[in-house]
Amino acid sequence: MGLPDEKLVDACNVPVGLRCAICTEVFVDPVCGVECQHVFCSACMGRATAAQSRCPLCRVAIDQTQLRRSHPIQSLVDDLKVMCDYKISGCGWTGRLQDCAAHQAACPVPENANLIAQLKRANARSDELARETERLAKKLRLANAHSDELAKESERLAKKLRLANARVHQLAAEKLELAEEVSIKTKLLGSVSRSGGQHVQVFVRDPSDKVHVLILNIDEDISAAQLCISSHTGWDLKSFYLTGFGQILHPGRTGREYGIRRDATLCMNARLLHAAF
Ligand SMILES: [Zn+2]
Ligand SMILES: [Zn+2]
Ligand SMILES: [Zn+2]
């Protein structure tokens, strides 16, 4: 293999005699055999004579052990004007081939090129980190928003729970109240069913002039009559009282105690305790 044309400052005007007949490039380590003067690159000659030890041009036998360097050709090649290998990286040096190796050993361009490449890599890495940072910041914003939403939801649920608990307590209280009322009414009904058969028909006029007819056991507590009125009208037991015979009929006493006799037909009034009722 020879010297590539790209390395030469003026490849077009290189004398034909400085080019190898095998690779067509300028000689590198030009050598020739003993029997003829045909010159080739050392590597090209080595490959060409590996199979058959003859000159590739004139076919004369060549003894590979007796190849010799072509010093006149080498010195002409050494004088050719070439460019630095780092031209592509920006080196503008040109000079004789024989000085090129020394220049390239000290050429500042590769160092710079290396630094530039490092800088580019660092910039790329920095850009990548900036993008990564932005991605993470976005993720964080989303996570925060989600967390806020969850906190709000949690607060809503806690409020609902408090309301539900309050309702449970209220219902428990109502249940107690109802149980108490049921117990009272059960007792009253018990006393009604236990008492004898001394019944009278009673007409009770309420404040709206409506008349309620009920059968009263005269041995029964007045509250039984009140209970009956209450179930007719829906009034609360404690919201009204009964009058008859010109007096208030108090619960805890029986009709007989108020002088009601068997088979009588009586008129009573139901009066509200509260005007607003
Ligand atoms: Zn060659
Ligand atoms: Zn030859
Ligand atoms: Zn250079």
Side-chain angles (χ1 to χ4, degrees), residues 92-268:
W93 181 90
T94 59
R96 296 188 309 163
L97 179 61
Q98 65 181 352
D99 299 328
C100 188
H103 161 74
Q104 285 181 179
C107 180
V109 168
E111 180 77 3
N112 285 347
N114 194 23
L115 287 175
I116 287 168
Q118 273 184 31
L119 184 63
K120 275 182 184 166
R121 278 197 297 275
N123 279 340
R125 180 81 187 117
S126 159
D127 286 355
E128 198 180 307
L129 285 175
R131 281 194 295 273
E132 180 67 16
T133 302
E134 199 169 321
R135 266 198 300 277
L136 288 175
K138 194 173 170 188
K139 249 181 155 173
L140 183 64
R141 281 197 298 277
L142 287 175
N144 279 340
H146 191 56
S147 157
D148 284 357
E149 204 177 298
L150 285 178
K152 274 182 208 153
E153 180 65 16
S154 162
E155 203 170 314
R156 269 198 298 277
L157 288 175
K159 195 173 169 187
K160 252 181 152 174
L161 183 63
R162 281 196 299 276
L163 288 174
N165 277 336
R167 182 77 185 125
V168 164
H169 284 134
Q170 191 185 336
L171 286 174
E174 276 176 24
K175 188 179 159 191
L176 269 181
E177 227 168 83
L178 285 173
E180 208 172 313
E181 201 173 327
V182 164
S183 148
I184 291 169
K185 287 184 178 175
T186 306
K187 272 184 209 157
L188 287 173
L189 284 173
S191 75
V192 167
S193 59
R194 274 193 305 277
S195 38
Q198 306 293 319
H199 294 101
V200 293
Q201 191 174 37
V202 183
F203 298 92
V204 180
R205 185 181 300 277
D206 72 22
S208 59
D209 261 2
K210 191 168 175 193
V211 175
H212 304 270
V213 181
L214 54 107
I215 302 299
L216 179 68
N217 185 327
I218 59 172
D219 291 317
E220 210 171 52
D221 195 300
I222 286 298
S223 60
Q226 281 185 326
L227 186 60
C228 191
I229 296 283
S230 169
S231 66
H232 271 244
T233 59
W235 297 344
D236 190 276
L237 273 176
K238 292 167 187 158
S239 67
F240 68 97
Y241 60 93
L242 294 174
T243 61
F245 314 110
Q247 58 186 320
I248 293 174
L249 306 178
H250 293 284
R253 300 181 66 183
T254 65
R256 191 187 292 279
E257 286 170 321
Y258 281 111
I260 300 172
R261 295 289 164 256
R262 191 183 170 185
D263 299 330
T265 297
L266 300 169
C267 288
M268 290 184 185

Side-chain angles (χ1 to χ4, degrees), residues 1-2 20-28 40-45:
M1 294 299 290
C20 166
I22 296 174
C23 67
T24 73
E25 293 176 333
V26 168
F27 293 117
V28 169
F40 306 95
C41 307
S42 169
C44 293
M45 177 71 106

Side-chain angles (χ1 to χ4, degrees), residues 16-126:
V16 174
L18 295 186
R19 288 185 179 274
C20 166
I22 296 174
C23 67
T24 73
E25 293 176 333
V26 168
F27 293 117
V28 169
D29 294 334
V31 292
C32 61
V34 181
E35 304 300 328
C36 71
Q37 297 300 311
H38 292 127
V39 178
F40 306 95
C41 307
S42 169
C44 293
M45 177 71 106
R47 273 201 299 277
T49 57
Q52 201 177 22
S53 295
R54 291 183 181 281
C55 170
L57 284 179
C58 66
R59 312 303 296 163
V60 73
I62 284 182
D63 181 354
Q64 283 198 58
T65 62
Q66 293 196 7
L67 292 176
R68 54 193 169 86
R69 300 187 68 84
S70 178
H71 292 291
I73 299 285
Q74 181 65 64
S75 63
L76 288 172
V77 168
D78 281 346
D79 279 341
L80 288 175
K81 206 174 179 193
V82 296
M83 296 175 279
C84 174
D85 279 353
Y86 302 115
K87 179 178 191 288
I88 196 168
S89 303
C91 181
W93 181 90
T94 59
R96 296 188 309 163
L97 179 61
Q98 65 181 352
D99 299 328
C100 188
H103 161 74
Q104 285 181 179
C107 180
V109 168
E111 180 77 3
N112 285 347
N114 194 23
L115 287 175
I116 287 168
Q118 273 184 31
L119 184 63
K120 275 182 184 166
R121 278 197 297 275
N123 279 340
R125 180 81 187 117
S126 159

